[in-house]
């Protein structure tokens, strides 16, 4: 089964959040974890991007592509990008993969490629 | 609320320093105490971001207050990312303004060169959102790069504009003996010549090496006092007249307009409102140019220029020494260096130096009103201050 990244929908006012926040930014009235989890869409368009050359200590690659994507439901997220010639506004498709490896942990996040 | 004055200032050279972190903080503090002419204080605030993580030291303020023989004064460290310095000044301001304290030492220090550049980059990146940003390998240069890309697309800012900020600020540092970078650069060398890509490679496209501030060690300090104490000490009367602080979403992608720096606009607006000033009243400004794009964007958000026109003012020389609103005449973060916890206080140090008329070759003529913008996170925690000289 494909992995997902989840948004959080307030059960009182339907405001969607990603990432999680304790208090809903829409109504500010929710009780503890009064949210439904909803998988984030994987398709969207690239809003901005960069290619990073000096990476933090844990990365053993020469460069890393990063971008902010506006997803099909209008929400946004940051992810890694694997796109040869990225352009602002281009359609992209995400998949949930390992984005950071540490000695005892793999961290999963969204990796976007050209759609 | 009582008026609050800066009676003393101190700074260390910003560079790689082979001293313990607490000594860096204490040295700048000693300079500030001597400048003010005080040997006793009511309270000490020490701004710092990395002591625990980078230098394996906690409770820094307790070390500093003792080293300076200021015990039993109150003491506390303030960690607020790159806005730690501005936040410590605000805390000191509140302590004096409230009437609780008459003399407050506000110091800031960082010793980032104790670790290598990759570890330093990772340490600063820990201020990003842990789940939605940090795990992806996002760094502050990466955030600044994505922001720059949008600014270029929307407002026509080019790599040349960025390089112009870098040249202006790094060369301004040649007039500041405390500044980290003491090497003249030219547009030819970092942008136009065949060697430019070697001299000035990309660190995070479209940002290049000379678009980013260096990783520095250093400290800076101020002595804040009440009006009565300021008049007793007899130093030039420099008053902090406006204080503004504002926050924004932790994850950058959640902001409705990604080219806006809402917290900068709000913090500056609040500081100007408190002081009864407008941005056009400012004679000299220190903006937080950790990356060249930030000087351009902040110069708009604080109200010096309309949104999208900061790079045009830069082209016209309006932000250089002798221009309409000289920005970062002591080198800024780009030229002076950016020991993270010290930066907000070093900005105030430069403004007080200017308002005292002690700027030497970088003095802004008849500077009476100064402004600082200390930018934390990627714009999610910002402190702005106004300073005025009273004759
Ligand atoms: Zn709600």
């Amino acid at each position: 089964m494909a992995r997902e990244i989840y948004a959080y929908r307030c059960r009182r006012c339907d405001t969607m959040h990603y990432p999680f926040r304790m208090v809903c930014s829409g109504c500010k009235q929710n009780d503890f974890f009064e949210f439904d989890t909803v998988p984030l869409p994987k398709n969207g368009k690239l809003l901005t991007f960069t290619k990073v050359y000096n990476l933090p200590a844990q990365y053993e690659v020469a460069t890393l592509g990063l971008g902010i994507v506006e997803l099909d439901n209008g929400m946004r997220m940051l992810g890694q990008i694997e796109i040869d010639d990225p352009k602002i506004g281009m359609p992209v498709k995400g998949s949930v993969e390992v984005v950071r490896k540490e000695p005892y942990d793999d961290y999963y996040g969204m990796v976007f490629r050209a759609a | 609320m009582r008026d609050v004055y800066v009676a003393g200032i101190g700074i260390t050279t910003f560079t790689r320093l082979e001293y313990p972190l607490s000594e860096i903080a204490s040295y700048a503090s000693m300079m500030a105490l001597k400048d003010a002419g005080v040997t006793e204080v009511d309270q000490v605030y020490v701004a710092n971001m990395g002591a625990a993580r980078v230098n394996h030291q906690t409770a820094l303020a307790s070390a500093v207050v003792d080293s300076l023989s200021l015990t039993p004064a109150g003491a506390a460290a303030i960690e607020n990312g790159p806005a730690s310095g501005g936040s410590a000044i605000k805390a000191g301001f509140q302590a004096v303004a409230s009437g609780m304290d008459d003399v407050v030492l506000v110091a800031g220090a960082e010793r980032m060169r104790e670790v290598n550049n990759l570890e330093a980059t990772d340490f600063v990146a820990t201020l990003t959102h842990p789940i939605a940003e940090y795990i992806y390998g996002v760094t502050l240069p990466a955030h600044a790069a994505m922001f720059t890309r949008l600014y270029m697309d929307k407002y026509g800012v080019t790599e040349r504009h960025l390089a112009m900020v870098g040249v202006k600020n790094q060369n301004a540092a040649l007039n500041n003996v405390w500044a980290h970078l003491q090497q003249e650069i030219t547009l030819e060398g970092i942008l136009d010549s065949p060697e430019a890509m070697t001299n000035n490679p990309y660190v995070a496209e479209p940002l290049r090496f000379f678009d980013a501030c260096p990783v520095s060690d250093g400290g800076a300090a101020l002595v804040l006092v009440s009006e009565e104490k300021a008049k007793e000490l007899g130093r030039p009367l420099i008053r902090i007249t406006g204080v503004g602080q504002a926050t924004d979403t932790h994850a950058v992608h959640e902001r409705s307009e990604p080219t806006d720096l809402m917290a900068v606009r709000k913090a500056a607006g609040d500081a100007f409102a408190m002081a009864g000033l407008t941005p056009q009243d400012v004679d000299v400004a220190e903006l937080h140019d950790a990356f060249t794009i930030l000087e351009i964007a902040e110069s708009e958000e604080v109200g010096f220029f309309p949104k999208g026109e900061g790079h045009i003012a830069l082209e016209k020389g309006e932000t250089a020494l002798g221009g309409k609103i000289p920005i970062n005449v002591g080198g800024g973060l780009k030229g002076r260096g950016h020991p993270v916890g010290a930066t907000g206080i070093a900005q105030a140090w430069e403004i007080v130096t200017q308002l005292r008329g002690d700027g030497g070759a970088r003095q802004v003529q008849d500077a009476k009103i100064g402004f600082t913008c200390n930018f934390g996170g990627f714009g999610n925690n910002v402190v702005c201050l106004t300073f005025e000289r009273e004759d």
Side-chain angles (χ1 to χ4, degrees):
Chain A
M1 196 181 109
R3 289 172 182 267
E4 302 287 354
I5 292 177
Y6 292 94
Y8 300 84
R9 185 171 58 213
C10 175
R11 285 181 200 152
R12 297 201 181 200
C13 74
D14 288 338
T15 300
M16 299 267 279
H17 307 92
Y18 173 75
F20 175 73
R21 56 179 64 232
M22 192 66 74
V23 174
C24 170
S25 62
C27 65
K28 308 191 183 193
Q29 298 291 330
N30 62 292
D31 286 330
F32 179 65
F33 217 95
E34 205 180 350
F35 296 98
D36 291 315
T37 53
V38 182
L40 281 170
K42 299 210 167 107
N43 293 322
K45 64 173 186 185
L46 191 58
L47 278 188
T48 185
F49 59 90
T50 184
K51 186 164 154 189
V52 184
Y53 290 80
N54 53 346
L55 292 162
Q58 302 88 336
Y59 284 86
E60 290 174 0
V61 291
T63 64
L64 182 67
L66 295 165
I68 295 177
V69 171
E70 186 160 300
L71 302 165
D72 279 353
N73 66 354
M75 296 182 74
R76 294 177 187 159
M77 73 177 302
L78 182 143
Q80 291 180 355
I81 62 170
E82 289 187 3
I83 301 171
D84 287 338
D85 185 21
K87 297 265 186 278
I88 288 178
M90 74 182 287
V92 294
K93 180 170 181 50
S95 79
V96 179
E97 299 173 17
V98 173
V99 292
R100 188 185 197 96
K101 274 184 179 298
E102 286 183 8
Y104 299 99
D105 277 311
D106 287 343
Y107 291 88
Y108 284 83
M110 200 80 91
V111 180
F112 292 99
R113 297 183 178 82
Chain B
M1 202 157 59
R2 300 198 300 174
D3 288 344
V4 180
Y5 292 79
V6 184
I9 59 173
I11 199 162
T12 72
T13 304
F14 283 15
T15 182
R16 181 185 178 127
L17 293 172
E18 299 295 339
Y19 302 98
L21 174 65
S22 61
E23 285 186 20
I24 295 171
S26 297
Y27 179 83
S29 299
M30 189 177 77
M31 303 270 281
L33 294 166
K34 284 183 185 297
D35 182 42
V38 298
T39 54
E40 311 263 334
V41 308
D42 302 312
Q43 174 72 37
V44 177
Y45 288 115
V46 181
N48 167 267
M49 181 174 170
R53 190 180 172 98
V54 176
N55 314 105
H56 203 62
Q57 179 168 16
T58 57
L60 185 60
S62 309
V64 171
V65 71
D66 180 50
S67 174
L68 294 167
S69 298
L70 291 173
T71 51
I78 293 188
E79 193 278 287
N80 196 27
S84 297
S87 303
I89 296 173
K90 178 181 172 182
F93 178 94
Q94 290 170 320
V96 175
S98 70
M100 225 171 140
D101 295 320
D102 291 321
V103 183
V104 177
L105 171 68
V106 180
E110 207 74 57
R111 190 177 175 214
M112 305 170 71
R113 302 290 292 249
E114 191 164 337
V115 294
N116 67 40
N117 263 357
L118 295 178
E119 288 175 63
T121 299
D122 179 62
F123 143 64
V124 178
T126 58
L127 65 77
T128 62
H129 194 289
I131 302 302
E133 296 182 329
Y134 179 78
I135 62 159
Y136 289 98
V138 168
T139 59
L140 272 292
H143 267 314
M146 289 188 283
F147 180 83
T148 303
R149 177 95 58 199
L150 288 169
Y151 237 78
M152 290 175 153
D153 190 58
K154 192 165 178 182
Y155 298 118
V157 172
T158 64
E159 287 192 25
R160 176 164 293 268
H161 293 114
L162 304 179
M164 285 170 72
V165 174
V167 169
K168 172 176 80 70
N169 294 355
Q170 184 160 335
N171 292 349
L174 299 170
N175 293 325
N176 180 0
V177 295
W178 306 100
H180 190 161
L181 301 182
Q182 297 290 339
Q183 179 197 24
E184 189 174 357
I185 56 172
T186 62
L187 281 177
E188 172 72 13
I190 66 168
L191 198 67
D192 296 332
S193 70
E195 300 81 39
M197 272 312 284
T198 315
N199 297 340
N200 191 17
Y202 286 108
V203 293
E205 293 176 0
L207 294 180
R208 301 195 196 204
F209 178 78
F210 281 100
D211 288 312
C213 62
V215 176
S216 316
D217 303 336
L222 309 176
V223 176
L224 305 185
V225 299
S226 63
E227 180 174 7
E228 191 185 7
K229 192 75 187 175
K231 288 180 173 161
E232 178 193 318
L233 292 169
R235 301 293 285 137
L237 290 177
I238 312 294
R239 184 156 77 90
I240 300 178
T241 53
V243 181
Q245 181 175 24
T247 52
D248 202 346
T249 64
H250 193 183
V252 171
H253 72 250
E254 286 200 278
R255 298 175 197 168
S256 54
E257 186 51 70
T259 47
D260 274 9
L261 296 172
M262 183 274 283
V264 173
R265 197 159 61 240
K266 175 79 164 68
D270 287 356
F272 285 127
M274 180 173 164
L277 295 169
T278 72
Q280 276 59 47
D281 294 325
V282 173
D283 298 315
V284 56
E286 286 279 304
L287 300 183
H288 193 109
D289 59 329
F291 305 96
T292 49
I293 187 66
L294 289 179
E295 179 173 305
I296 293 171
E298 290 167 19
S299 74
E300 300 162 4
E301 297 287 14
V302 306
F304 295 150
F305 310 112
K307 188 75 182 164
E309 295 181 19
H311 64 293
I312 297 164
L314 168 78
E315 277 177 359
K316 292 181 185 161
E318 291 180 4
T319 59
L321 188 61
K324 196 169 96 181
I325 169 68
I327 295 172
N328 292 333
V329 294
L333 282 60
K334 166 69 186 136
R336 183 176 55 229
H338 184 25
V340 182
T343 280
I345 295 166
Q347 292 177 315
W349 176 90
E350 176 65 31
I351 292 298
V352 173
T353 300
Q354 290 286 333
L355 300 189
R356 286 178 174 182
D358 292 340
R362 65 180 192 279
Q363 179 65 43
V364 174
Q365 287 301 310
D366 303 320
K368 294 250 180 347
I369 299 175
F371 174 85
T372 61
C373 175
N374 185 198
F375 178 97
F378 194 76
N380 64 8
N381 201 323
V382 179
V383 181
C384 292
L385 303 166
T386 63
F387 298 78
E388 296 180 60
R389 179 178 179 135
E390 296 181 354
D391 291 313

